[in-house]
Amino acid sequence: MKNSNAMDVSIMGRDFRITCPDDEREELQRAVIYLDKKMREIRDSGKVIGSERIAVMAALNITHELLTERHREGFDTEEFRRRIDRMQAALDAVLPEQDKLF
């Protein structure tokens, strides 16, 4: 049985406590560093505002990277980018309404 302990991480200046098996702590820390880097790049581009939108765009970008690696042959990268652009436009259309709630 894997022993799990809480681990404190920081992503874009926000602190989170995550439970993680001891033998996966190093991989989790690498993932946190990668995610933090991607989110900061998106924020610094000035094209996306709001931590929730930045997180969604980072998730989409990282998913795109993963799928591209998995499907190097026969994968239509341009179509996938167009789909991401459409998703971003849809988010841009609905998230201002959510911002009004807070």
Side-chain angles (χ1 to χ4, degrees):
M1 181 176 174
K2 295 179 181 179
N3 188 16
S4 294
N5 289 310
M7 180 176 168
D8 294 322
V9 300
S10 179
I11 300 171
M12 279 191 36
R14 294 188 61 193
D15 296 327
F16 300 91
R17 180 170 286 258
I18 301 171
T19 300
C20 176
D22 289 339
D23 62 344
E24 295 178 13
R25 291 174 70 86
E26 187 176 319
E27 286 128 1
L28 175 61
Q29 189 59 45
R30 282 197 309 266
V32 166
I33 291 167
Y34 190 76
L35 177 58
D36 183 67
K37 176 183 171 225
K38 289 293 185 182
M39 288 180 69
R40 288 176 187 276
E41 287 172 359
I42 292 167
R43 181 198 63 199
D44 294 346
S45 76
K47 295 179 182 177
V48 180
I49 299 172
S51 59
E52 187 174 298
R53 288 181 183 175
I54 291 169
V56 170
M57 290 310 301
L60 287 171
N61 288 336
I62 292 168
T63 302
H64 176 257
E65 291 172 6
L66 174 66
L67 292 174
T68 300
E69 281 298 314
R70 286 187 177 174
H71 301 99
R72 282 248 184 240
E73 295 180 29
F75 185 77
D76 186 354
T77 303
E78 289 305 314
E79 174 57 24
F80 197 80
R81 287 179 196 214
R82 285 189 292 275
R83 290 173 60 192
I84 288 175
D85 289 342
R86 286 192 302 269
M87 285 186 255
Q88 183 174 0
L91 286 168
D92 288 342
V94 297
L95 286 176
E97 292 301 317
Q98 172 135 2
D99 291 344
K100 291 178 188 176
L101 297 174
F102 300 101

